[in-house]
Amino acid sequence: MPDLYIGLMSGTSMDGIDAALVSFGDNVVDIVATHEHHYPKGLKRDLLAARDNAALKRCEDVPDLHRSVGECFRDAAIELLARADVDRSSVTAIGSHGQTLRHEPDAEQPYSLQIGDPDIIAATGITTVADFRRADIELGGQGAPLAPAFHEWLFREKDALRVVLNIGGIANVTVLPAGGGETTGFDTGPGNTLLDAWAREHLREQFDRSGAWGATGTVQDDLLRQMLADPYFHKPPPKSTGFEYFNMEWLRRFTVSAIAPADVQATLCALTTTSIARAIQSTAGGNCDVFVCGGGVHNADLMQRLGAELPDCEVQTTTVAGLDPDWVEAVAFAWLAMRTSQGLTGNLPSVTGAKGAAVLGSIHQGS
């Protein structure tokens, strides 16, 4: 039986944890089981409040949340194994992304804070790998995005230029040149984070389901131009960002109060798709295969706008390349756990800007 690994991932939406039980072959993934584990409402509320605290730099600053999130990640792994009817002794390692509260790679003292106590997860008896970003940051890198190394391993095609686009809270691209060219990638800017925040404020919903509300609005071209003038969009890679930058405070720099809320939502959708399209066109050109993953694939309005922005590209989900778009990120952290367990590097300096490749993460032995 091939070695089994678990990947645990929670993104900036803070809805909960994606858990995937997988095995790996020669550039092939076999998903054994998946599970979506939601945070309790009270915990999500506390996480959203904590992430707005710019003073947070260490897990020790939020000990109760560090423990509570660790317990949720542990429970996600246990429930995943129960669903798969697989004994935990069969699992080689868990890769836990944790829950990001702050990501400040360009600070005077760079850091990236993910909580979710890995020792609690390792108490399942399964060795757990966590804190994947630190080693890359210590080498001068951004610590993100980390999925491009996995994208390169799984999706690269010798005879075709491919772009893997992940649209989570933040959107990021991985450019996979045909042949032996160097893989590049970076965060393009907001994915769903501003769309979700605006929907929470005006719809009292966690997100705009299928983009239906935004689709009723009209893009405000002047507002869009102002937003796209932000320096982040013109900064050359390597670069990464997060909700520390693209948040409601950022949005309120612009005159949005005088605009119909649905029109703002439509404009935010256009901000996401235009910034993505420009990033792809500047790095991969206008003629490539684009494979999309992450929560953004479920926003029909966003996907339609993206296709219109990239008329010469084939825009499809990662399903056609062999992996369900909802599970790419969780599988990526299972893959990173495998790499670390085998003493293999997991970052791409051409993506993060690190001085060299590194074995990522801290290993917590199962007990």
Side-chain angles (χ1 to χ4, degrees), residues 55-325:
L56 296 180
K57 292 187 177 181
R58 306 169 304 163
C59 295
E60 290 81 357
D61 295 332
V62 282
D64 292 343
L65 284 179
H66 189 43
R67 165 169 282 278
S68 295
V69 172
E71 290 171 347
C72 283
F73 272 66
R74 174 203 63 200
D75 293 346
I78 291 171
E79 290 170 18
L80 172 70
L81 291 172
R83 174 172 295 197
D85 194 23
V86 170
D87 190 88
R88 60 191 72 182
S89 64
S90 301
V91 180
T92 300
I94 293 171
S96 174
H97 172 271
Q99 181 63 66
T100 299
L101 290 185
R102 303 291 300 177
H103 180 66
E104 299 283 3
D106 297 318
E108 185 175 343
Q109 295 181 322
Y111 70 98
S112 190
L113 173 60
Q114 286 76 40
I115 63 169
D117 191 340
D119 287 321
I120 290 176
I121 305 170
T124 57
I126 304 170
T127 295
T128 299
V129 186
D131 196 15
F132 285 97
R133 302 186 187 277
R134 185 188 302 269
D136 186 86
I137 289 175
E138 291 302 317
L139 287 169
Q142 292 279 306
L146 292 180
F150 170 67
H151 297 161
E152 179 184 70
W153 178 83
L154 182 62
F155 295 120
R156 187 157 196 161
E157 176 62 48
K158 181 176 66 175
D159 299 322
L161 169 61
R162 289 181 162 183
V163 173
V164 182
L165 167 61
N166 175 62
I167 308 178
I170 298 298
N172 57 72
V173 293
T174 304
V175 181
L176 303 170
E182 188 173 64
T183 295
T184 57
F186 55 93
D187 289 347
T188 63
N192 302 311
T193 186
L194 295 174
L195 290 164
D196 292 350
W198 193 249
R200 283 195 297 271
E201 182 165 305
H202 291 276
L203 297 181
R204 299 295 185 262
E205 300 286 349
Q206 292 303 306
F207 58 94
D208 177 13
R209 191 172 300 277
S210 299
W213 179 49
T216 68
T218 301
V219 174
Q220 302 299 294
D221 292 335
D222 187 56
L223 175 60
L224 179 59
R225 279 192 296 270
Q226 293 177 48
M227 291 176 172
L228 288 169
D230 186 280
Y232 182 81
F233 298 117
H234 305 280
K235 179 182 178 182
K239 61 179 180 177
S240 61
T241 189
F243 50 76
E244 304 82 11
Y245 191 91
F246 289 107
N247 52 35
M248 290 299 286
E249 182 179 345
W250 180 88
L251 180 57
R252 290 195 175 100
R253 297 176 192 173
F254 308 97
T255 309
V256 295
S257 59
I259 301 173
D263 290 350
V264 174
Q265 186 76 348
T267 307
L268 290 174
C269 190
L271 175 67
T272 291
T273 57
T274 301
S275 57
I276 288 170
R278 290 182 178 180
I280 291 173
Q281 289 161 346
S282 67
T283 55
N287 189 358
C288 59
D289 293 328
V290 179
F291 298 102
V292 190
C293 59
V297 302
H298 301 293
N299 185 322
D301 183 43
L302 188 154
M303 291 295 287
Q304 186 276 328
R305 291 180 188 273
L306 183 63
E309 293 271 5
L310 295 167
D312 296 323
C313 295
E314 186 75 20
V315 179
Q316 306 172 87
T317 76
T318 53
T319 299
V320 300
L323 188 54
D324 188 309

